[in-house]
Amino acid sequence: MGNGWQAFGHRLLRELSELPVGASLLVSEPDPEPSPAPARKWWQFTANRPRAVPGCYLQFQRWEEVVRAECVSGAYRVVSESAHAELMALGWSDPATQPARWGTDNYVYDADPDELEPLADLCVQSLELIGAKADAAWTWRVTGSA
């Protein structure tokens, strides 16, 4: 793990440690710029216009008994088969087979609130696997806190 990821991991651990019960944390890198679209006339449909691929992101929900982590999946950006297999081996849920009641197409991992350091390490390793950049201008946003 490089210095950039080490600093990211330390901040993630601090943010998770301070996350109150009932709150959520969203950590996201900026979305890449979309490819320029060809000029079109007002009557042409926009369906074939290039779309931006979302940047990598993690989101966390803190409850009394569990901290749920979500990692962006192939539903929103390109994740190679090998990266998918490695994420499964790390313990993330398979987005294709997880319960619909979870309401997400992302990878999901439930952690004990007392085990935040291994969770932060898992998330850093996972972001590296899917091609995120440690030096990106990451956004950190907490919502739902008291």
Side-chain angles (χ1 to χ4, degrees):
M1 179 181 340
N3 286 342
W5 281 119
Q6 191 172 29
F8 181 97
H10 288 305
R11 173 149 185 208
L12 180 58
L13 179 57
R14 185 179 73 245
E15 295 280 346
L16 290 173
S17 298
E18 296 171 359
L19 191 65
V21 172
S24 298
L25 169 66
L26 174 64
V27 183
S28 59
E29 71 176 351
D31 292 342
E33 292 294 320
S35 303
R40 67 180 183 86
K41 304 294 182 194
W42 66 269
W43 65 84
Q44 293 174 317
F45 293 107
T46 59
N48 293 328
R49 294 174 61 88
R51 295 182 181 196
V53 174
C56 292
Y57 62 89
L58 297 165
Q59 51 192 5
F60 304 87
Q61 294 83 38
R62 172 72 189 262
W63 295 301
E64 289 284 342
E65 313 271 326
V66 71
V67 176
R68 172 161 288 168
E70 291 185 33
C71 180
V72 66
S73 72
Y76 303 103
R77 65 173 288 118
V78 175
V79 175
S80 69
E81 277 189 49
S82 62
H84 175 77
E86 288 183 65
L87 289 166
M88 299 293 92
L90 289 172
W92 290 96
S93 68
D94 185 343
T97 61
Q98 62 198 9
R101 70 180 183 276
W102 286 1
T104 184
D105 293 323
N106 288 321
Y107 297 100
V108 174
Y109 187 92
D110 287 341
D112 186 299
D114 295 328
E115 299 293 326
L116 296 177
E117 189 168 353
L119 176 61
D121 292 343
L122 168 77
C123 290
V124 167
Q125 188 176 3
S126 301
L127 287 174
E128 284 185 285
L129 278 173
I130 60 175
K133 305 293 181 216
D135 59 354
W138 291 89
T139 300
W140 302 76
R141 189 176 71 208
V142 174
T143 58
S145 58

